[in-house]
Amino acid sequence: VLDGEGNMIDIALSSEPSQSPSTTNTLRPSSSPSIEPTTTPSLSPTESKSLTFFAIGDVPYSDLEACLIPHELDKAANSVTDAKFMLHLGDIRDGKPYNVDWGIQPRPCPEILYQNVATIFERSSIPTFFSMGDNAWLDCEDVDESYTFWEKHLLMFNEREDLGWPALGATVSRNENHIEMYSFVLK
């Protein structure tokens, strides 16, 4: 990753070049996403720096996990003071369907699920980004409704100004065809 001055930040999440999203919003994910980059990065690395951030995913799957996450967020904030942001890598509930007499049925994903997750992560001391997982979208009884709830409560969570987070030091760009995909360059 490059910072705003073109300096290399020591992090490797993928060997593939990243997409360069625009800020035009398309509110529904495509059924045929592409992994092909839209542009090639134009900055060359000049020096190596370290970057600290938190990554979490597949939680909360239970009431116990929902109770423990705020405690874990506090522990993380107190032990690592130079973290710049948090990434929730998706899946805010398990994807297990109902097994009923007439077959397997997806479970409902009520709006309160998304509201509760947002409330839990309000405790984060740093900007927090959510990536969409399939369990709280495609594994739901009504995929359009679940996407709408995710979009309303979690899609732009990182832009919350009421939580007193330090500035990220970057402009977040979203892909015009897949608004749930984002990128930023730290300065």
Side-chain angles (χ1 to χ4, degrees):
V1 177
L2 302 175
D3 67 13
E5 298 169 1
N7 299 313
M8 177 63 88
I9 297 174
D10 191 17
I11 177 175
L13 298 178
S14 171
S15 60
E16 298 295 319
S18 65
Q19 293 189 12
S20 179
S22 79
T23 56
T24 305
N25 293 343
T26 299
L27 299 179
R28 293 281 177 241
S30 168
S31 61
S32 59
S34 170
I35 62 170
E36 296 300 316
T38 55
T39 63
T40 303
S42 59
L43 298 174
S44 299
T46 57
E47 71 177 75
S48 180
K49 292 182 180 180
S50 65
L51 170 66
T52 303
F53 65 97
F54 297 122
I56 188 172
D58 295 297
V59 290
Y61 279 11
S62 68
D63 291 340
L64 176 61
E65 287 179 353
C67 289
L68 291 175
I69 291 172
H71 176 70
E72 294 301 318
L73 292 173
D74 288 346
K75 278 183 11 185
N78 291 327
S79 66
V80 181
T81 58
D82 64 341
K84 301 293 184 205
F85 55 89
M86 176 179 298
L87 300 174
H88 189 293
L89 302 173
D91 291 342
I92 59 172
R93 70 163 197 128
D94 70 56
K96 295 177 184 171
Y98 287 131
N99 192 357
V100 292
D101 292 337
W102 59 88
I104 295 176
Q105 297 293 317
R107 292 185 305 170
C109 294
E111 186 170 12
I112 192 72
L113 167 71
Y114 306 86
Q115 291 169 322
N116 287 344
V117 169
T119 299
I120 290 167
F121 282 89
E122 287 176 355
R123 185 82 170 249
S124 174
S125 60
I126 53 178
T128 301
F129 294 82
F130 284 88
S131 295
M132 180 179 279
D134 64 330
N135 294 356
W137 174 37
L138 298 175
D139 292 343
C140 296
E141 187 174 67
D142 183 334
V143 296
D144 291 330
E145 180 183 69
S146 62
Y147 183 87
T148 299
F149 293 153
W150 185 87
E151 179 182 47
K152 178 179 177 182
H153 297 286
L154 303 174
L155 176 65
M156 305 301 240
F157 191 80
N158 62 288
E159 294 183 7
R160 297 268 309 260
E161 295 180 357
D162 61 321
L163 300 176
W165 289 333
L168 179 63
T171 299
V172 177
S173 299
R174 297 209 174 253
N175 184 288
E176 66 183 72
N177 297 314
H178 308 282
I179 191 171
E180 67 279 2
M181 298 174 127
Y182 52 86
S183 66
F184 53 89
V185 176
L186 294 176
K187 298 176 182 169

